[in-house]
Amino acid sequence: MGNKVVTFTHEQLDNYQDCTFFNKKEILKVFKKFRNLAPELIPLEMTTPESVKIRMPKDRIVKLPELIENPFAERVCESFSKDGYGNLNFEEFLDCLSIFSENCPRDLKIYYAFKIYDYDGDDFISESDLRQVLKDLTKNELTNDEHQKITEKIIEEGDIDNDGKLSFLEFETVLKRSPDFINTFHIRI
Amino acid sequence: MSGGKEKKSSRSSKAQGWEEAGSEFYQESYPGDQMDNIHRDPSKLATLLPSKQRVATNRRGRQAQEFKTTRRRNSTLTATRTFRRGSHYQEIQVATLPDLSENLINESQTWEEIREIKAMPVHMAQKRELKNQLQNATKLRLQGFEQIKWKRRKAWQKIMTKWSEYLTKMELWRSSLKTIEGNFGTGVVAYFVFLRWLMVLNLLIFTIIFMFIILPQLVLIEPKDLPCDPNAPPVFDEKRSTANESIWIYANTSVQCCRETYLNEIKHNRSEFSILHLFQGTGFMEKTFLFYGMYTHQIYGYDPLANQQQQSYGSNSYNEGTSFMSNRNLDNFIVDENNSTNNNSTPFMNALLNFSDNNNITTTDLTNFTTWREFFSKLDIYYDLPLAYIIVTIVCYLYILVSIVKAVAHEFKDRLVEGEGQFYQYCNLIFCGWDFSLHNQKSAQIKHKALFNEIQGLMHIKRYEFERNNRTRDIMFKLILIRVLINILVFIILIVCAAVIFILFNISLSVIEPNFETVTRYRSFNVFMGQIKKFSSGTSELDQQFKILFYEFLPYLCIVIFNLLVPILFNYLIQFEQYSPLFVIKMNLFRTIGLRLSSLAVLISRFYYLISAKNENSNTECFNESYGTPMCWETFIGQQFYKLFIIDFATHILVTFFVNFPRAMIARHMNNAFARFIEMDFELSKHVLDVVYSQTICWLGTFYAPFLPAIAAVLIFFMFYIKKFACLVNSKPSTILYRASRSNSLFMIILLLSFSISIIPVVYAIAEIMPSRSCGPFRGLNSVWERAINAFEKLPKLLQDIIFFFGTSSFAIPCFIVLILFLYYYYSVSAANKHMVQVLKNQLVLEGHDKQFLLNRLSLFIKQQQEYQKRIQRQFYDQASTTTNSQQSQGINMDTIPPPLLPRAPRSETGSNDRSERSSIEIKHHSRMSKDIGDI
């Protein structure tokens, strides 16, 4: 036991525990996942502030088994990364999986879901965003006409103030009523 | 209620926020340098929209909410709250000076805030920073009781985190669930979670039973019963005798003698060990505590023999076991016998366990006892096992009921919220359609396909509806005819199944129980049965045994085979009925439940027929031998359910590994139409039914075989792996989208249904059917419930009166009225809430219109402004050349700017009235402003 490399200090773990929905055990598990993506990049010892800041490139994170088949994987990375390019450091990665964990409240999940679906980052889910979502969701199998029809329908359903796009509040109202959201927006670690 | 209020208040505060934001928008945006921005780019207006003003809005809202937010303790966050929290942080960033320094908060509040950091939608670095800030901020120290309270909560939280850590380590099947979820999505994994839940439930039930029934029976020494004395005079049975006829119990049918006959029977006839007995529950198994029959009717620590000597030999002596329970006050006996000093009459529950401090057992004495049994026998413990048996049964069933209802209620709550969600079909499908947990390529492809299908289906649903509405009369008539015919057919199939099971059961009984043949009612069968008997009377011993085994299992095999085959037939039939796909699943499920429950019902009615037969010579026989009633029918029924349970499990193994597995293998390695035909989906509803069915059997049999929940728990444990195999290896992901929310409520509703059905026969048996005289804790009583009534009669008078009062109309009627009043109250509250929601919705829509309108006006106005300025500039250049006309041209310009239109007439809704008025004022104000600008 004495020879074991200390990955995180106690303080770090405490901090992470306070800032995420994971317990210590799960945090270490997440770290293992993170490190497995690129063992040559990430040191075993994460106690120094520099090591925490190392960013994992997006194309590596997308290879995570939990994300590899996810059509929104790139969006997920981009939503959680601070640099906007989708490269995540460990803390952001931890944040990301914490949001997808079971204990995370619905409102927080909705907040990030909005970010994920908001492709162009203009704080609205507009028609172009919806088209993109549909394309990713069905692997581009729908015709242009159908795209048009569905986006219209969605905006018709969710748009309360008739501005032709969904604001966060509108998105929130829709998803709060959705029974499946909490189940599907979930990644078991 | 508080939740509702909270929501309402948050709603209204949001509405206020909007208004505030609106007014702020007009106040702040005009004067100042933002004006220039707007002039340069009208699209920048979007940044001033109310929805964009969240930060500003929340800053205001927060001041009012501050008090409330910090006060609330629970970590379950309401939506607005998280949102506020999130913006709260943004606010800190914006204002650089945190509010925290302004009003000092105490330690407990800081701690709460730190705990809520995790729910903020900001990056980890910021969260950490905030945590540091909070930790280092000056704060008030809590004092006295508050301090203790906070400390306690903190400690509790710590324990909870430790516990959750421990749980994650211990969580059963975590990796299995992950694999299944990765391959089949959340809908299917919900089924496996449900399996786990059932297993834990069974284990809990068994723990209760083990603690209070099995353990005492194992540990305590059963007091010696009175000896069987066949020569004693008959006893008058007070309970069963009526005014017209008096029933006498003869010595050879006394409880003790019947017991001895029964014990002799199982000792001589059924003692040899055979592996077959393991599956049948007969032979040596019958003598174990597995079944009802071996539990004692004695009260531990109470010796009827000693008691008998104290009493004068009365006429009741033979029936002691029965009569002392029913007629005498047991407690007084116990107290007298022990010469105990504490003469307080022990009430109901204490009667179960009564430690007497009279017998002083020192530690030195302890070493003298060689076994625990001896130790317990020296300790004066009174344990009324029959009473415990009843109470434990009631507690167990209540516990099951509560846990199912709790789960159903949870689902139901979600359903209610979802009820409004039916307007969001498309949103639901698009935003919640993807299962983020999927990580298998093949299933991801299937998911893509399924979503595509669903979307198309949703788009075409309108067309289907149109088609359905426009069916011609002929087609309609034909369809209805087909449906009616098929329903009749289904009904006939069900009846045929039931009849076949009934007949097979008779046959099997006639082979096993030789007495059964003499039953006159089945004479018509007798010829047939005689032939069977001839056939079954094999030559060798082993042959004979196997034949008996075969007949014994025949009805159950039949039930299981029906359960396998008939649903396929139903599946085929339903094609012709042309229901909508969702309804097909429900209809099929409903019919299959009908099949399974009807077969169980036949079984139970057959049992009932066997045991409830009126015995004309009940005073000379222990059991109705001529009718084929088993000696100890409770054990018999326990055995039957045990058998059914085992065989049900065995078929799951057989079908999964020896039928479906080869099928899947063939399908995988062949690539033609045949392969596609035999390939299997993972049909969730079918698998759910499998589990619910075996659970129903368990519930039916628990009373007669107390070990059944344990067996069920173990078998469900293995069932998990069987189903996992069936899911991962045998089937491919289903093209039907299983929604976790939907399937969860489905499981629970089916479970509740079968529970409520399975409890009926159990309750009936407890309340009405006479227990057999030769075995079990209730031998000699008229019904099981009689024991509970006897215990009730021993309660203090006051308590009895109180409980009686609950049963009278003087209590029931006021109670009923109060309940109705409450019902009405809640109904009107919900109606009012609904109305409120409607009003607010309308208001929101109107707000949207208003905003739209104002924005249009505004952009128009800005365009005019720009044009005007251009013109001014042009004029300015013109002026440079000709200075004389400047005054005139400005005057003309003023006239060319049309005054902005007034907004549309105020709407009828009260909510919008003052809004539009206000906006019209605003507009007027702007038009004045524009004039002012123009003047300049």
Side-chain angles (χ1 to χ4, degrees):
Chain A
M1 285 299 276
N3 292 337
K4 210 175 158 190
V5 182
V6 182
T7 315
F8 296 107
T9 59
H10 265 292
E11 200 198 337
Q12 269 178 315
L13 275 180
D14 265 351
N15 274 339
Y16 290 147
Q17 208 173 344
D18 278 337
C19 297
T20 62
F21 296 96
F22 290 133
N23 57 40
K24 283 173 189 162
K25 188 100 189 152
E26 288 165 324
I27 290 167
L28 290 176
K29 220 169 171 181
V30 170
F31 176 70
K32 220 185 241 164
K33 273 184 198 300
F34 185 64
R35 194 168 177 275
N36 279 345
L37 289 172
E40 71 282 358
L41 269 178
I42 309 297
L44 259 178
E45 213 179 313
M46 296 288 283
T47 45
T48 56
E50 290 77 36
S51 57
V52 177
K53 288 205 175 91
I54 299 171
R55 283 188 184 278
M56 176 90 69
K58 180 165 76 177
D59 46 347
R60 285 288 184 84
I61 292 171
V62 170
K63 293 269 155 39
L64 186 78
E66 280 80 3
L67 288 177
I68 193 159
E69 288 301 327
N70 195 327
F72 305 112
E74 292 196 1
R75 280 303 305 154
V76 171
C77 294
E78 281 156 22
S79 312
F80 283 93
S81 83
K82 220 177 169 182
D83 67 355
Y85 297 110
N87 309 327
L88 300 179
N89 63 27
F90 173 65
E91 290 186 350
E92 286 160 352
F93 185 76
L94 189 64
D95 245 351
C96 168
L97 286 186
S98 155
I99 296 302
F100 282 107
S101 80
E102 212 164 332
N103 299 325
C104 179
R106 183 186 277 236
D107 313 295
L108 202 56
K109 287 191 178 215
I110 292 176
Y111 179 85
Y112 279 99
F114 184 77
K115 261 188 150 179
I116 287 169
Y117 293 132
D118 181 17
Y119 277 73
D120 49 14
D122 65 348
D123 284 346
F124 283 101
I125 294 184
S126 54
E127 269 187 48
S128 61
D129 292 328
L130 285 174
R131 262 164 204 272
Q132 201 58 44
V133 170
L134 278 174
K135 242 180 226 168
D136 285 351
L137 209 54
T138 60
K139 290 225 163 147
N140 216 357
E141 276 192 71
L142 292 165
T143 61
N144 232 348
D145 219 33
E146 284 168 322
H147 274 299
Q148 184 65 33
K149 226 173 165 179
I150 293 165
T151 46
E152 269 171 24
K153 282 273 179 200
I154 291 170
I155 286 173
E156 190 187 309
E157 280 177 355
D159 189 17
I160 298 171
D161 58 5
N162 277 332
D163 58 356
K165 48 196 176 181
L166 300 182
S167 69
F168 176 71
L169 282 175
E170 288 159 352
F171 186 75
E172 202 186 13
T173 6
V174 170
L175 282 202
K176 262 189 190 163
R177 305 257 163 84
S178 163
D180 298 318
F181 176 70
I182 206 89
N183 290 317
T184 53
F185 203 75
H186 168 65
I187 294 176
R188 223 177 267 265
I189 61 147
Chain B
M1 279 312 292
S2 64
K5 272 179 192 158
E6 218 172 271
K7 250 177 224 164
K8 232 187 282 168
S9 72
S10 72
R11 241 173 226 254
S12 60
S13 75
K14 224 178 253 179
Q16 272 173 15
W18 278 37
E19 280 185 28
E20 269 177 47
S23 58
E24 193 174 53
F25 160 58
Y26 291 114
Q27 283 159 12
E28 287 174 6
S29 55
Y30 271 92
D33 47 10
Q34 268 175 324
M35 191 70 184
D36 300 334
N37 280 334
I38 294 165
H39 280 188
R40 253 176 265 133
D41 183 11
S43 69
K44 280 246 168 98
L45 262 178
T47 55
L48 296 170
L49 281 171
S51 51
K52 284 279 185 175
Q53 297 276 324
R54 267 191 338 238
V55 178
T57 314
N58 283 317
R59 198 186 300 166
R60 276 157 202 230
R62 194 176 183 279
Q63 278 162 6
Q65 288 256 323
E66 173 75 74
F67 179 70
K68 233 195 215 166
T69 326
T70 44
R71 267 291 178 94
R72 270 182 256 160
R73 7 156 88 189
N74 219 324
S75 60
T76 48
L77 296 162
T78 59
T80 43
R81 194 151 158 235
T82 329
F83 195 63
R84 292 243 149 76
R85 293 257 140 224
S87 54
H88 163 72
Y89 185 67
Q90 288 163 8
E91 194 185 310
I92 286 174
Q93 280 185 308
V94 171
T96 58
L97 258 178
D99 291 9
L100 305 167
S101 58
E102 287 168 24
N103 44 347
L104 280 176
I105 52 173
N106 58 35
E107 287 171 319
S108 149
Q109 282 165 337
T110 319
W111 181 69
E112 292 277 344
E113 300 229 351
I114 288 177
R115 273 183 54 209
E116 281 166 15
I117 286 176
K118 57 174 80 166
M120 290 186 181
V122 288
H123 288 288
M124 178 81 76
Q126 291 169 332
K127 283 191 218 169
R128 256 203 344 244
E129 203 180 301
L130 185 62
K131 188 191 163 191
N132 275 336
Q133 229 169 17
L134 279 168
Q135 268 175 338
N136 297 332
T138 42
K139 51 205 165 201
L140 294 173
R141 252 172 188 269
L142 283 174
Q143 276 170 357
F145 185 56
E146 292 276 314
Q147 170 88 11
I148 296 166
K149 245 167 57 185
W150 173 55
K151 279 263 162 70
R152 209 190 58 212
R153 253 167 57 212
K154 218 163 130 182
W156 176 244
Q157 192 59 33
K158 221 171 209 169
I159 292 169
M160 286 314 278
T161 30
K162 272 263 145 48
W163 175 242
S164 80
E165 233 167 284
Y166 181 71
L167 270 191
T168 39
K169 220 185 281 175
M170 294 293 293
E171 195 187 341
L172 193 59
W173 297 323
R174 196 185 171 89
S175 62
S176 291
L177 289 178
K178 188 173 155 56
T179 330
I180 295 164
E181 193 173 55
N183 286 301
F184 285 78
T186 47
V188 173
V189 105
Y191 167 72
F192 285 90
V193 173
F194 171 70
L195 267 184
R196 194 175 62 182
W197 183 83
L198 264 185
M199 192 189 80
V200 172
L201 182 74
N202 276 327
L203 270 184
L204 280 176
I205 294 298
F206 180 68
T207 319
I208 299 172
I209 291 175
F210 185 78
M211 292 290 286
F212 295 105
I213 298 178
I214 298 165
L215 199 64
Q217 179 84 34
L218 285 173
V219 169
L220 303 174
I221 295 178
E222 189 179 336
K224 270 222 155 45
D225 203 355
L226 299 170
C228 169
D229 182 4
N231 301 321
V235 181
F236 182 70
D237 190 345
E238 297 169 40
K239 283 265 167 177
R240 274 191 292 167
S241 302
T242 53
N244 299 333
E245 70 175 324
S246 49
I247 294 172
W248 292 80
I249 297 174
Y250 290 92
N252 58 340
T253 63
S254 72
V255 173
Q256 290 78 20
C257 290
C258 284
R259 175 71 175 169
E260 251 168 45
T261 337
Y262 176 60
L263 282 180
N264 280 337
E265 161 96 12
I266 55 175
K267 197 180 264 170
H268 291 128
N269 294 352
R270 313 175 189 180
S271 57
E272 79 281 12
F273 178 84
S274 157
I275 196 86
L276 294 177
H277 292 318
L278 212 59
F279 299 111
Q280 295 173 353
T282 51
F284 75 98
M285 294 280 275
E286 201 168 331
K287 280 194 287 185
T288 58
F289 291 131
L290 202 60
F291 299 109
Y292 167 96
M294 280 300 129
Y295 291 88
T296 181
H297 70 304
Q298 305 276 356
I299 293 169
Y300 286 108
Y302 173 82
D303 194 353
L305 264 178
N307 183 45
Q308 193 189 30
Q309 276 149 21
Q310 268 192 4
Q311 289 226 312
S312 59
Y313 259 89
S315 59
N316 277 8
S317 58
Y318 285 108
N319 215 16
E320 191 58 46
T322 324
S323 55
F324 88 89
M325 276 186 220
S326 49
N327 303 336
R328 304 227 169 83
N329 192 333
L330 175 70
D331 295 325
N332 291 341
F333 259 144
I334 295 166
V335 174
D336 287 345
E337 200 183 19
N338 293 331
N339 305 318
S340 175
T341 43
N342 47 346
N343 250 4
N344 52 344
S345 59
T346 39
F348 194 56
M349 282 310 284
N350 287 0
L352 281 178
L353 259 185
N354 186 359
F355 287 92
S356 160
D357 46 7
N358 221 12
N359 289 26
N360 295 318
I361 295 170
T362 55
T363 40
T364 47
D365 283 341
L366 268 179
T367 51
N368 294 336
F369 301 124
T370 44
T371 60
W372 276 101
R373 275 178 170 244
E374 259 180 74
F375 168 70
F376 278 111
S377 70
K378 283 290 190 297
L379 253 178
D380 258 345
I381 297 177
Y382 295 99
Y383 193 80
D384 189 347
L385 191 95
L387 190 59
Y389 206 100
I390 296 180
I391 292 171
V392 164
T393 308
I394 293 170
V395 165
C396 284
Y397 280 107
L398 274 183
Y399 181 81
I400 295 167
L401 184 69
V402 166
S403 47
I404 297 175
V405 165
K406 227 170 102 187
V408 170
H410 185 73
E411 300 296 332
F412 187 68
K413 228 163 60 188
D414 284 354
R415 271 283 161 114
L416 268 186
V417 181
E418 184 197 350
E420 281 183 85
Q422 61 191 347
F423 305 114
Y424 299 122
Q425 281 177 325
Y426 282 91
C427 289
N428 215 336
L429 193 59
I430 304 302
F431 294 133
C432 313
W434 185 259
D435 205 331
F436 277 69
S437 51
L438 279 184
H439 54 74
N440 175 299
Q441 197 194 354
K442 201 176 165 197
S443 47
Q445 272 169 3
I446 287 171
K447 188 86 185 173
H448 280 300
K449 192 83 198 147
L451 274 172
F452 173 69
N453 289 340
E454 188 103 334
I455 289 170
Q456 279 205 324
L458 201 59
M459 282 172 67
H460 295 152
I461 219 160
K462 282 258 149 36
R463 217 182 60 208
Y464 285 136
E465 262 169 27
F466 181 75
E467 264 176 31
R468 205 167 64 189
N469 292 335
N470 287 357
R471 275 174 190 151
T472 58
R473 188 165 289 195
D474 280 356
I475 294 176
M476 233 8 223
F477 182 72
K478 225 165 129 188
L479 198 66
I480 288 173
L481 197 72
I482 287 174
R483 283 181 186 177
V484 169
L485 276 178
I486 284 179
N487 273 317
I488 291 171
L489 195 63
V490 166
F491 196 66
I492 290 171
I493 290 172
L494 286 182
I495 288 176
V496 166
C497 289
V500 168
I501 293 166
F502 188 81
I503 292 168
L504 283 179
F505 198 79
N506 280 345
I507 292 171
S508 107
L509 263 185
S510 74
V511 173
I512 300 158
E513 298 276 336
N515 293 327
F516 188 75
E517 221 175 334
T518 54
V519 181
T520 46
R521 221 177 276 196
Y522 293 99
R523 200 135 279 168
S524 52
F525 282 129
N526 282 355
V527 185
F528 179 52
M529 280 168 192
Q531 285 171 346
I532 288 172
K533 274 227 151 162
K534 251 181 242 157
F535 166 70
S536 65
S537 57
T539 43
S540 70
E541 177 95 358
L542 197 73
D543 225 28
Q544 184 75 18
Q545 234 178 22
F546 267 110
K547 278 203 172 115
I548 285 182
L549 181 74
F550 172 73
Y551 281 111
E552 206 157 316
F553 277 104
L554 193 62
Y556 308 103
L557 269 176
C558 176
I559 289 174
V560 167
I561 288 169
F562 279 151
N563 284 345
L564 280 179
L565 296 182
V566 177
I568 298 173
L569 191 67
F570 285 164
N571 240 343
Y572 176 73
L573 283 177
I574 209 159
Q575 286 173 16
F576 301 103
E577 290 178 278
Q578 297 183 8
Y579 291 124
S580 69
L582 213 73
F583 192 69
V584 164
I585 296 176
K586 275 185 198 160
M587 197 70 191
N588 252 338
L589 199 66
F590 182 69
R591 283 174 184 170
T592 320
I593 292 174
L595 172 77
R596 298 211 164 188
L597 289 183
S598 74
S599 62
L600 275 184
V602 169
L603 205 65
I604 289 167
S605 64
R606 198 67 207 87
F607 293 154
Y608 177 73
Y609 195 74
L610 268 184
I611 59 187
S612 70
K614 263 264 178 280
N615 199 350
E616 286 91 28
N617 34 6
S618 62
N619 26 17
T620 54
E621 278 178 353
C622 286
F623 60 102
N624 199 346
E625 211 169 348
S626 61
Y627 213 73
T629 310
M631 214 163 183
C632 179
W633 62 263
E634 288 94 343
T635 297
F636 170 76
I637 286 179
Q639 283 167 345
Q640 304 308 311
F641 284 124
Y642 172 78
K643 244 188 280 182
L644 189 55
F645 199 88
I646 296 275
I647 202 165
D648 187 61
F649 180 72
T651 37
H652 285 313
I653 294 179
L654 276 177
V655 168
T656 309
F657 293 108
F658 298 104
V659 179
N660 287 347
F661 178 58
R663 210 171 121 182
M665 280 294 122
I666 292 167
R668 198 162 301 164
H669 295 296
M670 271 160 61
N671 215 356
N672 51 23
F674 178 66
R676 236 163 288 133
F677 175 69
I678 60 171
E679 214 174 20
M680 284 164 294
D681 280 356
F682 190 74
E683 264 183 69
L684 202 55
S685 47
K686 182 187 157 295
H687 292 278
V688 173
L689 266 189
D690 285 346
V691 174
V692 172
Y693 180 68
S694 52
Q695 191 57 48
T696 312
I697 297 170
C698 168
W699 285 331
L700 278 171
T702 301
F703 187 73
Y704 301 117
F707 267 94
L708 210 50
I711 296 166
V714 171
L715 292 194
I716 287 177
F717 179 83
F718 290 114
M719 189 87 114
F720 185 93
Y721 289 103
I722 295 171
K723 291 292 176 195
K724 187 184 163 191
F725 186 85
C727 170
L728 291 180
V729 181
N730 286 357
S731 0
K732 66 177 175 44
S734 173
T735 43
I736 305 167
L737 274 184
Y738 286 120
R739 304 254 169 83
S741 60
R742 244 185 241 164
S743 43
N744 242 334
S745 55
L746 182 85
F747 306 153
M748 285 303 164
I749 287 167
I750 295 177
L751 199 65
L752 188 64
L753 184 80
S754 56
F755 176 74
S756 35
I757 290 177
S758 71
I759 206 165
I760 294 169
V762 174
V763 167
Y764 180 79
I766 288 176
E768 289 294 325
I769 300 175
M770 195 176 105
S772 48
R773 297 182 68 79
S774 48
C775 63
F778 306 102
R779 61 192 88 142
L781 295 176
N782 281 328
S783 73
V784 175
W785 194 239
E786 202 178 294
R787 186 72 195 82
I789 292 168
N790 291 338
F792 174 73
E793 278 166 2
K794 268 181 273 161
L795 285 176
K797 190 84 181 75
L798 183 70
L799 214 61
Q800 269 190 48
D801 284 346
I802 290 171
I803 294 175
F804 259 121
F805 175 69
F806 283 127
T808 56
S809 57
S810 54
F811 172 78
I813 290 172
C815 182
F816 187 65
I817 291 170
V818 167
L819 278 181
I820 284 181
L821 281 178
F822 266 107
L823 201 70
Y824 181 71
Y825 170 73
Y826 281 112
Y827 168 75
S828 39
V829 163
S830 84
N833 277 343
K834 241 181 234 163
H835 181 69
M836 192 66 199
V837 167
Q838 204 53 46
V839 167
L840 285 173
K841 252 185 204 159
N842 285 341
Q843 201 172 332
L844 258 181
V845 172
L846 288 172
E847 299 260 1
H849 285 312
D850 281 357
K851 196 182 83 182
Q852 211 66 30
F853 173 75
L854 287 176
L855 276 179
N856 286 342
R857 298 308 313 144
L858 200 63
S859 49
L860 195 72
F861 165 71
I862 286 163
K863 236 182 249 165
Q864 284 172 350
Q865 276 290 298
Q866 281 173 330
E867 274 171 27
Y868 171 68
Q869 272 189 346
K870 267 183 210 157
R871 222 177 289 173
I872 293 259
Q873 274 174 350
R874 225 184 296 137
Q875 276 173 5
F876 183 73
Y877 290 125
D878 289 348
Q879 261 182 355
S881 52
T882 53
T883 46
T884 44
N885 292 337
S886 65
Q887 285 285 354
Q888 257 183 354
S889 64
Q890 205 167 19
I892 293 160
N893 268 334
M894 275 313 295
D895 293 336
T896 47
I897 298 170
L901 293 166
L902 280 172
R904 277 169 267 172
R907 274 165 265 263
S908 56
E909 275 80 4
T910 45
S912 69
N913 241 342
D914 62 19
R915 285 282 310 148
S916 41
E917 259 172 41
R918 193 160 152 188
S919 48
S920 70
I921 292 165
E922 224 85 71
I923 291 286
K924 274 181 201 156
H925 171 69
H926 293 151
S927 65
R928 218 180 304 128
M929 248 170 62
S930 73
K931 270 185 191 153
D932 291 346
I933 294 166
D935 284 339
I936 298 158

